[in-house]
Every structure is written in structure tokens, then in C-alpha cells.
Amino acid sequence: PEKALWTVGDRGGVARYPIEARDAGERSALGRGVVFPLAIQHDLFAAWADGDHLWVAGDGGVIVHFDGADWHVQDSGTTAALRAVFGLSETDIWAAGDDGTLLHFDGTGWSQLPIQGYSGSLRAIWGGAADDVWIGGEGGMFHWGPLP
């Protein structure tokens, strides 16, 4: 699949901009954007893509998956605003947000993972492997998996 930049925003706003390669030695440039109208009206705060698949997350715990052809609203099991989403594959995706909400998708469904004693807003996720995922938020940084 071609490379692309996805952006999300208010009232279910999603846009995709293809990254167009230039001649050797020149920088790449963004192509003309395409806006995807979603049936939801939730504000969206985060997106993560893997090939033709895209997951977006936002207000009210909304998570929507684009499979390359159609959009599917997924049951996140929470109403907390989700402010970050990151994945390692289509079967290993993380989402985090307000009230210490941390979710994991295993390819079948989303499950909530408690962070004992933390209720702040989580705003960032990054991982290097399935057992090396970092989650950051207001006054806290958390690690999923064993530390070296």
C-alpha cells in the first residue's frame, strides 16, 4: 500500500493524504487529501494505521476501524475519552485516555487493563514489541511487560 498521513478531528472528521514520492534527492510531498464522512459525530483525538487498516479513537470511548473498504464502530467497553492509539499489528493494538483508561485489542475484541491507583488522563502510547509498551499521561509513565 502507498504511504499516507491520516488526520482526525471534530465530529468524526477523518482525512487521508497520500505521501507522494518525488525524484531522487527531493523530499516527499503530501498529495490531495480525501475526507471520509463517518456516521458518528464524536470528536476524534488519535489514529493509528497498519497498511490499509486504520483505527481512530475519541470522545465517549469511540473506536472506529477502517478495513480498507468499510468503517466499523467497535465496542471499546468504556465511555472515557480515548486520547491515544498505537499498535504493533492488526491483532495487538492499544488505546488509552481519560480516567486512567487503558485498553488492548487482540484481534477479536477490546479489553480494559487496570492501572492500580492511577486515574489521570493517558495521552501517549508507544511500543517496540508486544511485551515492551509504554503509556504516558498526566504525572505518570507506565510500562507493559518486563523491564530489562
Side-chain angles (χ1 to χ4, degrees):
E2 69 180 23
K3 292 183 179 183
L5 169 70
W6 291 90
T7 62
V8 297
D10 294 347
R11 294 186 305 250
V14 177
R16 181 185 183 279
Y17 297 87
I19 298 174
E20 299 174 346
R22 302 288 183 164
D23 294 330
E26 291 187 39
R27 293 182 177 167
S28 297
L30 290 180
R32 186 178 217 59
V34 175
V35 174
F36 291 87
L38 299 185
I40 63 163
Q41 290 295 304
H42 295 79
D43 291 344
L44 301 173
F45 305 122
W48 178 79
D50 182 28
D52 291 336
H53 290 257
L54 172 75
W55 285 262
V56 299
D59 262 346
V62 70
I63 298 176
V64 184
H65 172 224
F66 180 65
D67 64 10
D70 295 310
W71 294 91
H72 308 278
V73 176
Q74 297 186 326
D75 181 8
S76 70
T78 186
T79 58
L82 299 174
R83 303 192 180 276
V85 63
F86 174 80
L88 295 155
S89 72
E90 293 177 24
T91 60
D92 190 5
I93 303 169
W94 297 80
D98 291 354
D99 305 322
T101 302
L102 179 61
L103 306 173
H104 181 258
F105 182 73
D106 62 5
T108 306
W110 291 92
S111 57
Q112 191 158 356
L113 304 170
I115 299 176
Q116 299 294 9
Y118 183 79
S119 62
S121 181
L122 298 169
R123 298 185 177 262
I125 306 171
W126 179 87
D131 63 351
D132 184 22
V133 178
W134 293 88
I135 304 103
E138 297 171 342
M141 177 70 88
F142 305 94
H143 182 257
W144 178 266
L147 289 172

